[in-house]
Amino acid sequence: MSLTISSGEELVELPGIFDCEVVSQGRVMDGIFCIMLNCPTIAKCVLPGQFVNVRVLDGAEPLLRRPFSVHGVNPGMGAFSLIYAVRGKGTELLAKKRRSDIVSVVGPLGKPFVLGDNPEARHVIVCGGCGTAPMVFLGEMLSKKWGADKVTALLGAKNNDAVLGSVDFQNYGAKVSVATDDGSYGHHGFVTELLSERLALPADGTRVYACGPREMLKEVARISKQAEVASCQVSLENHMACGLGLCLGCVQKHVQPEGKPEGWDYLRVCTDGPVFEAEAVIWE
Amino acid sequence: MGVNLAVQIGDMEMKNPVTVGSGTFGSGEEMAQFFDLSRLGAITTKGTSLGPWIGNPTPRTVETPAGMLNAIGLDNDGVEDLIENKLPFLRQFDVPVIVNVVGKTVEQYVQVVQRLKGVEGVSAIELNISCPNIKAGAQLFGSSPEAAAEVVEAVRQETNLTLITKLTPNVTRIGTIARAVVEAGSDAVSLINTLLGTVIDIEKRQFVLANKCGGLSGPCIRPVAIQKVYEVAKENLGVPIIGMGGIMTAEDAIQFLLAGASAVAVGTATFVNPMAAVEIVDGIEAYLVAHDYTDVKEIVGVVQ
């Protein structure tokens, strides 16, 4: 879907291609970085759950852009930030960018989280590992829209040193609970166990939002369905080539009762997602 | 500007020599957000089959040095959906549409082309013969001159539209295949389709792609593609060549024209730079002006 916004005098068609100046780059923890990029248009228009496709260098190797969910925006500064883990060639190159370097960004891309229209609803955010990055943005928007007292964030990490984002959520006034695999902080176990506890209280009207490893998302989907929540949305990370909806590389099996003899279809994570209602995702 | 960029492929008039690679441009709707589609010389659709083809399981793509592999599996919604939903959108623009056609039997190709008879907004058919022939042990149609010619002959009888046959490089002598499809009635040939390749995950000890192997595209294949264009041009078949394979910039495209292509297609480049195709149109024009040419045809096949 294209969106035309007025940015001062100009009408800008979105998504767009922007040459963004690096405002800052810093190490958040071992192997995890936060880069802030200047782009007033994206800062103003991007919604939680959307992503940008970043060109990590001008040449042909590595060839493809790298997709990253948006972690936060500062519309006053005209900037947005990404949090990412260094996993390979592309992210290694991104981590080397310094203040005032120019980075080409395509975005905003994808369908954002749906925040709902029930003022009484409770919102539960579930994140695992680096999946916390876009959920901080979501938490901020949910708190602004519905009040921080309606928002709970459940964070899962390997250990105490790997916990990401708890301070950010607390800054918005959301309630935060943490689970670590080794018990070095918070609950000793999986973040999905915290979700089960949370949903054991009457859960109708509750909206769940999740981002993290696929096994975690599957479990969140299962628990949420059992608890009969009003909505459970997951952000998927299927491997992408173009990120623009052109190549059909990133597809996800999805329930599709109409017009499909087998009752399912392949949807594009980059364009029809990355956010999906968990109930309709065919996990396999 | 005084430079003529228009080229003629069969009966199809392209306002400039740039089209897009089938399967790299979506249905056009996504790309219309980035530029006016009327700027292109032609638009090539995704490979269109008779009924919908679901495509391969994921992973369907993987990056490789200066390139990528794809095993999408010709995922498409079929010719009825093309006619009902995709072509009406493209008709809004002043750009000829080349419908790329796929099939698992000769009959399927024929039926798709029959269905397209009289459909408004179709300027040409591009036959993707890199499909496995299920009646011949899944050998690619395009890997034998006889099988390739059989498809072209059968389709030729069904249409007067410009018929372009897209050649695979995964053959012993592409010149032989080219000759066979031209003698069978092709008005033009396009090449190259992707090169067969694979990547193995050494920690999991398995193929990265669900389909095991896939098609290699991107800058890494460009030297092969240009050589194949030159090889086919030397056959002097008397039909235009649409050259493609790793074109990222106008400079790349011009190599193909000099080698003997009358037009080019831009594919994987669009994933990296959505503006690639239009920048290439502008860049070809700038090159011609800078070198005092007045017509793009002047540089076609100049390198012998």
Side-chain angles (χ1 to χ4, degrees):
Chain A
M1 302 268 347
S2 91
L3 171 67
T4 308
I5 60 119
S6 98
S7 185
E9 300 285 317
E10 269 179 63
L11 276 175
V12 180
E13 193 91 34
L14 293 180
I17 311 173
F18 303 96
D19 283 331
C20 308
E21 192 172 304
V22 177
V23 174
S24 67
Q25 167 105 261
R27 194 177 140 283
V28 171
M29 62 178 68
D30 240 358
I32 300 197
F33 289 77
C34 180
I35 187 170
M36 190 179 289
L37 295 162
N38 181 279
C39 183
T41 308
I42 291 182
K44 191 164 155 181
C45 302
V46 69
L47 296 170
Q50 290 190 305
F51 68 100
V52 294
N53 221 4
V54 179
R55 192 153 189 196
V56 297
L57 91 173
D58 272 339
E61 168 58 20
L63 181 67
L64 301 173
R65 288 183 182 253
R66 278 16 187 191
F68 302 99
S69 292
V70 171
H71 162 69
V73 297
N74 187 329
M77 262 186 81
F80 67 93
S81 60
L82 313 172
I83 284 189
Y84 60 98
V86 172
R87 291 237 164 84
K89 272 184 291 201
T91 40
E92 260 170 43
L93 284 164
L94 186 62
K96 293 199 167 97
K97 305 285 180 198
R98 295 287 167 263
R99 186 181 172 77
S100 82
D101 283 345
I102 305 290
V103 176
S104 168
V105 172
V106 177
L109 296 168
K111 291 201 157 70
F113 284 104
V114 175
L115 307 191
D117 48 22
N118 174 6
E120 305 308 316
R122 309 221 153 244
H123 305 268
V124 182
I125 298 175
V126 187
C127 349
C130 223
T132 306
M135 305 312 254
V136 168
F137 186 17
L138 173 65
E140 185 190 0
M141 298 305 251
L142 282 171
S143 298
K144 279 196 179 135
K145 184 167 186 186
W146 300 121
D149 58 309
K150 299 281 193 307
V151 182
T152 304
L154 307 175
L155 315 182
K158 277 202 184 82
N159 55 51
N160 183 29
D161 291 327
V163 176
L164 196 60
S166 65
V167 171
D168 295 300
F169 282 112
Q170 281 161 359
N171 282 345
Y172 308 135
K175 180 177 179 322
V176 180
S177 294
V178 177
T180 46
D181 291 352
D182 67 356
S184 50
Y185 186 80
H187 169 76
H188 185 174
F190 294 134
V191 67
T192 44
E193 289 156 17
L194 292 178
L195 179 65
S196 282
E197 262 174 47
R198 182 69 185 65
L199 294 182
L201 314 166
D204 57 297
T206 299
R207 301 178 66 81
V208 177
Y209 313 80
C211 185
R214 206 170 169 91
E215 286 309 307
M216 186 202 95
L217 298 179
K218 259 166 97 161
E219 185 60 6
V220 168
R222 189 191 67 76
I223 294 169
S224 300
K225 184 171 166 124
Q226 215 161 49
E228 294 178 0
V229 299
S231 154
C232 177
Q233 294 167 70
V234 293
S235 173
L236 297 185
E237 269 195 5
N238 295 24
H239 186 79
M240 292 177 189
C242 75
L244 302 171
L246 311 175
C247 71
L248 306 181
C250 64
V251 295
Q252 170 61 46
K253 266 192 175 167
H254 190 275
V255 167
Q256 179 60 52
E258 288 175 32
K260 293 288 163 187
E262 315 274 324
W264 64 271
D265 198 9
Y266 277 130
L267 297 188
R268 297 163 294 178
V269 169
C270 65
T271 312
D272 306 311
V275 176
F276 292 97
E277 274 289 337
E279 259 206 318
V281 172
I282 298 172
W283 292 100
E284 297 195 314
Chain B
M1 267 263 128
V3 172
N4 176 48
L5 291 174
V7 302
Q8 185 117 3
I9 307 287
D11 288 335
M12 177 176 66
E13 286 176 19
M14 295 172 62
K15 68 176 80 69
N16 63 60
V18 178
T19 182
V20 293
S22 173
T24 68
F25 209 68
S27 57
E29 294 194 45
E30 303 84 2
M31 290 308 299
Q33 293 152 210
F34 294 102
F35 60 84
D36 177 7
L37 301 187
S38 306
R39 290 228 48 208
L40 295 173
I43 289 181
T44 309
T45 71
K46 174 74 192 240
T48 303
S49 46
L50 187 58
W53 284 4
I54 195 78
N56 288 329
T58 54
R60 290 179 166 186
T61 63
V62 59
E63 191 179 66
T64 59
M68 59 172 282
L69 285 169
N70 90 77
I72 308 293
L74 297 171
D75 177 348
N76 80 97
D77 291 322
V79 67
E80 293 303 329
D81 174 84
L82 179 86
I83 292 170
E84 211 167 312
N85 298 319
K86 313 265 195 315
L87 289 177
F89 177 79
L90 293 174
R91 280 200 284 270
Q92 297 173 82
F93 303 94
D94 173 30
V95 63
V97 173
I98 304 169
V99 176
N100 180 290
V101 177
V102 298
K104 292 194 176 114
T105 63
V106 174
E107 293 70 39
Q108 285 180 8
Y109 284 96
V110 165
Q111 284 172 286
V112 175
V113 172
Q114 279 173 344
R115 186 62 191 87
L116 290 170
K117 243 193 268 248
V119 171
E120 201 198 328
V122 179
S123 296
I125 304 280
E126 181 182 55
L127 290 177
N128 176 357
I129 53 173
S130 305
C131 298
N133 181 357
I134 58 177
K135 292 197 174 154
Q139 277 274 48
L140 302 191
F141 285 104
S143 63
S144 101
E146 295 77 27
E150 193 189 344
V151 176
V152 176
E153 256 163 43
V155 166
R156 180 76 281 177
Q157 289 173 39
E158 302 296 333
T159 184
N160 292 321
L161 287 173
T162 299
L163 190 58
I164 306 162
T165 302
K166 186 167 179 180
L167 307 178
T168 168
N170 302 308
V171 294
T172 314
R173 280 207 72 240
I174 199 171
T176 311
I177 312 287
R179 182 168 295 282
V181 302
V182 170
E183 282 172 2
S186 302
D187 299 308
V189 288
S190 55
L191 60 144
I192 55 172
N193 207 325
T194 51
L195 286 161
L196 206 50
T198 194
V199 173
I200 293 172
D201 182 324
I202 67 170
E203 294 305 326
K204 293 186 183 160
R205 283 181 284 281
Q206 53 187 233
F207 291 101
V208 170
L209 295 171
N211 192 54
K212 299 188 184 169
C213 302
L216 185 66
S217 68
C220 61
I221 72 169
R222 191 178 56 236
V224 174
I226 297 167
Q227 188 277 331
K228 292 285 172 251
V229 164
Y230 172 61
E231 194 177 322
V232 170
K234 274 206 302 183
E235 293 283 324
N236 288 311
L237 298 171
V239 302
I241 296 169
I242 303 176
M244 66 187 89
I247 296 175
M248 302 290 286
T249 64
E251 288 71 30
D252 299 337
I254 289 159
Q255 289 193 59
F256 282 78
L257 300 175
L258 293 171
S262 297
V264 295
V266 175
T268 304
T270 300
F271 299 169
V272 182
N273 173 13
M275 301 301 294
V278 295
E279 287 175 6
I280 288 166
V281 172
D282 292 340
I284 292 172
E285 186 173 23
Y287 172 90
L288 295 170
V289 168
H291 295 275
D292 295 317
Y293 291 107
T294 55
D295 192 315
V296 66
K297 291 188 261 303
E298 293 179 65
I299 64 169
V300 172
V302 153
V303 170
Q304 297 288 320

